[in-house]
């Protein structure tokens, strides 16, 4: 290698080193926040159930009839007087309960919503859903209690995390390939931390890329929803342009029956009432889902006239919203039951170690450079 090639290679290494160092440092504290809050969220169903924030209905007698959704809706409004219904949801893992969302107004702030579960066979209230400590962890993880700006900021930190991963592979691969995989040297504390940092980074790299990428996608959920409303939804309801919102709403049972006929091979996931962010001011939107592990995550909206309950339109969601729906459960390992959740948790803990060890190595390196500068020695040292 001649002098020019060596200089170019050294310059490339310095550039990648700067990219890796600063993309890691800028995002470090927020990545720690995301990893620490994400750890209990992997098991949020189990924790909510243990703490009583995921109430379960009594076991129904064989052949017992389910109550009408209209009756459950009336019960929900009676339990929250002065409020309006926004959504009614069916938990795919608990078919015998129905969850009603009420709020101060139909397009009210999601943080002001009240979620209560009702027994599908008796229409009796089972208790509040989704509160407790897991809600605090979720808000910290999703937007740090800062709303959409917080989501976009965390999305930017997630993007820097992806940059740090890629730059770390490019930068340290030439060094680590000289050693057998899993080699842990004991020359010094710094070298030991460096080896652990690289080993755990190599073990978690695929997981970190998946979780980082899906996390970035999830922060764009509201942007994607706005895009869908401005394009596909607007086209679906264009014949209703200029019409006033319905004064009297159609029967929910009629609307659901018509939605099932429009998508006969699918099940109801949730109903959005007219005026909520998931539909127009004129329509019920019944979101249907499939019955396989993958298709149960994908939704198909069926729009129904708010006054008559008749089907107005039904279309598949665009690709970018399908990507969002698939990425949400993948982000928390919510595809393969408890075994996958445990794997996700172990990888999360390893990633915390990678982040902390990276910060430690940077601090030690800075101290070493500073001490060299004091005694008049060159400050540039190998990055290992």
């Amino acid at each position: 290698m001649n002098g020019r090639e060596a200089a170019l290679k050294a310059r490339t290494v310095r550039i990648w080193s700067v990219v890796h160092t600063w993309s890691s440092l800028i995002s470090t504290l927020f990545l720690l926040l995301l990893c620490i809050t994400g750890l209990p969220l992997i098991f949020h169903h189990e924790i909510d159930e243990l703490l009583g924030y995921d109430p379960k209905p009594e076991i129904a007698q064989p052949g017992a009839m389910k109550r009408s959704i209209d009756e459950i809706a009336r019960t929900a409004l009676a339990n929250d007087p002065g409020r309006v219904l926004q959504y009614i949801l069916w938990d795919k893992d608990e078919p015998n309960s129905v969850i009603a969302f009420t709020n101060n107004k139909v397009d009210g702030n999601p943080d002001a919503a009240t979620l209560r579960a009702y027994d599908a066979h008796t229409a009796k209230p089972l208790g509040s859903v989704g509160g407790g400590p897991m809600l605090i962890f979720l808000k910290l993880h999703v937007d740090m209690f800062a709303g959409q700006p917080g989501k976009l900021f965390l999305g930017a930190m997630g993007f820097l995390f992806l940059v740090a991963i890629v730059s770390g592979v490019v930068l340290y691969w030439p060094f680590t390939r000289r050693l057998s995989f899993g080699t842990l040297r004991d020359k010094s504390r710094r070298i030991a931390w460096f080896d652990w940092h690289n080993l755990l980074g190599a073990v978690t790299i695929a997981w970190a890329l998946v979780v980082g990428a899906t996390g970035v996608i999830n922060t764009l959920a509201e942007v994607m929803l706005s895009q869908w409303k401005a394009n596909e939804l607007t086209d679906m309801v264009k014949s209703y342009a200029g019409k006033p919102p319905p004064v009297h709403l159609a029967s929910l049972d009629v609307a659901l029956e018509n939605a099932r006929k429009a998508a006969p091979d699918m099940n109801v996931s949730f109903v959005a009432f007219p005026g909520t962010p998931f539909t127009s001011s004129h329509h019920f939107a019944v979101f249907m889902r499939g019955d396989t592990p993958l298709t149960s995550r994908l939704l198909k909206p069926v729009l129904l006239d708010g006054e008559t309950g008749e089907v107005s339109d039904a279309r598949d969601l665009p690709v970018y919203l399908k990507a969002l729906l698939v990425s949400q459960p993948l982000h928390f390992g919510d595809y393969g039951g408890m075994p996958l959740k445990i794997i996700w948790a172990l990888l999360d803990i390893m990633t915390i170690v990678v982040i902390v060890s990276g910060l430690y190595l940077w601090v030690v390196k800075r101290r070493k450079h500073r001490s060299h500068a004091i005694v008049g020695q060159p400050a540039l040292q190998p990055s290992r």
Side-chain angles (χ1 to χ4, degrees):
M1 181 183 296
N2 58 39
R4 179 178 175 81
E5 290 176 338
L8 287 173
K9 184 175 181 180
R11 183 172 181 273
T12 301
V13 169
R14 284 196 298 272
I15 292 173
W16 278 111
S17 180
V18 170
V19 170
H20 181 68
T21 297
W22 288 105
S23 61
S24 301
L25 286 175
I26 293 172
S27 60
T28 290
L29 292 179
F30 300 101
L31 288 175
L32 276 175
L33 170 69
L34 293 174
C35 288
I36 292 171
T37 57
L39 188 58
L41 288 173
I42 295 172
F43 304 100
H44 72 96
H45 287 298
E46 292 77 12
I47 295 174
D48 278 344
E49 186 173 352
L50 180 65
L51 297 178
Y53 292 101
D54 186 16
K56 303 296 183 183
E58 296 180 2
I59 298 176
Q61 296 296 324
M65 297 291 293
K66 291 185 176 181
R67 297 296 180 92
S68 73
I69 300 304
D70 285 320
E71 182 179 351
I72 292 176
R74 288 192 295 269
T75 304
L77 290 173
N79 277 317
D80 289 308
R83 296 166 71 86
V84 297
L85 278 166
Q86 287 185 302
Y87 310 101
I88 293 181
L89 178 145
W90 287 256
D91 188 340
K92 66 183 181 66
D93 297 320
E94 188 53 69
N96 291 326
S97 69
V98 179
I99 300 172
F101 294 57
T102 61
N103 209 323
N104 298 318
K105 52 184 180 178
V106 73
D107 59 348
N109 189 326
D111 291 337
T114 299
L115 284 65
R116 299 188 195 279
Y118 295 86
D119 191 306
H121 292 91
T122 65
K124 292 181 179 179
L126 301 173
S128 298
V129 176
M134 286 300 99
L135 180 59
I136 297 174
F137 280 107
L138 181 63
K139 290 293 293 179
L140 284 170
H141 191 84
V142 170
D143 61 14
M144 301 185 300
F145 291 93
Q148 182 63 9
K151 290 181 183 179
L152 296 178
F153 177 81
L154 289 178
M157 294 301 101
F159 177 77
L160 286 179
F161 179 48
L162 297 176
V163 172
I165 295 172
V166 173
S167 59
V169 171
V170 173
L171 186 62
Y172 292 117
W173 172 248
F175 298 111
T176 56
R177 69 181 179 180
R178 300 172 190 169
L179 303 172
S180 299
F181 181 79
T183 298
L184 298 174
R185 298 167 292 176
D186 58 359
K187 295 181 179 179
S188 68
R189 178 181 296 180
R190 184 170 65 89
I191 294 298
W193 271 101
F194 179 79
D195 288 342
W196 274 109
H197 179 80
N198 287 332
L199 173 60
L200 295 179
V203 171
T204 60
I205 183 171
W207 177 86
L209 285 170
V210 168
V211 172
T214 53
V216 172
I217 292 173
N218 288 339
T219 63
L220 300 175
E222 291 186 26
V223 176
M224 293 181 184
L225 180 61
S226 296
Q227 178 72 11
W228 175 72
K229 291 180 66 176
N231 293 285
E232 285 83 1
L233 182 60
T234 297
D235 187 59
M236 293 172 74
V237 301
K238 60 184 178 181
S239 62
Y240 285 77
K243 292 185 178 180
V247 177
H248 302 289
L249 295 180
S251 164
L252 281 171
D253 292 290
V254 171
L256 290 174
E257 182 62 26
N258 289 335
R260 292 188 181 98
K261 291 178 181 177
D265 298 325
M266 306 182 78
N267 302 313
V268 178
S269 177
F270 72 94
V271 179
F273 280 69
T276 55
F278 288 89
T279 185
S280 75
S281 59
H282 305 278
H283 294 83
F284 288 108
V286 178
F287 286 81
M288 311 295 289
R289 63 177 173 223
D291 55 6
T292 68
L294 177 60
T295 60
S296 65
R297 309 292 181 176
L298 300 176
L299 301 176
K300 179 178 182 177
V302 179
L303 296 187
L304 304 107
D305 187 291
E307 289 187 327
T308 67
E310 297 297 321
V311 174
S312 297
D313 203 343
R315 302 183 189 181
D316 289 333
L317 290 174
V319 172
Y320 59 87
L321 280 181
K322 289 182 178 180
L324 172 67
L325 292 171
V326 170
S327 71
Q328 287 175 335
L330 185 59
H331 186 70
F332 292 109
D334 198 17
Y335 268 116
M338 185 55 68
L340 185 60
K341 290 185 178 185
I342 293 173
I343 293 173
W344 242 238
L346 292 174
L347 291 169
D348 187 296
I349 293 171
M350 291 181 191
T351 302
I352 292 174
V353 176
V354 171
I355 295 171
V356 172
S357 61
L359 182 61
Y360 167 79
L361 290 169
W362 179 80
V363 171
V364 169
K365 184 178 178 180
R366 294 287 295 178
R367 287 177 178 174
K368 189 173 183 179
H369 286 182
R370 193 174 295 115
S371 65
H372 286 170
I374 292 174
V375 299
Q377 295 181 355
L380 290 177
Q381 296 291 328
S383 58
R384 289 185 294 165

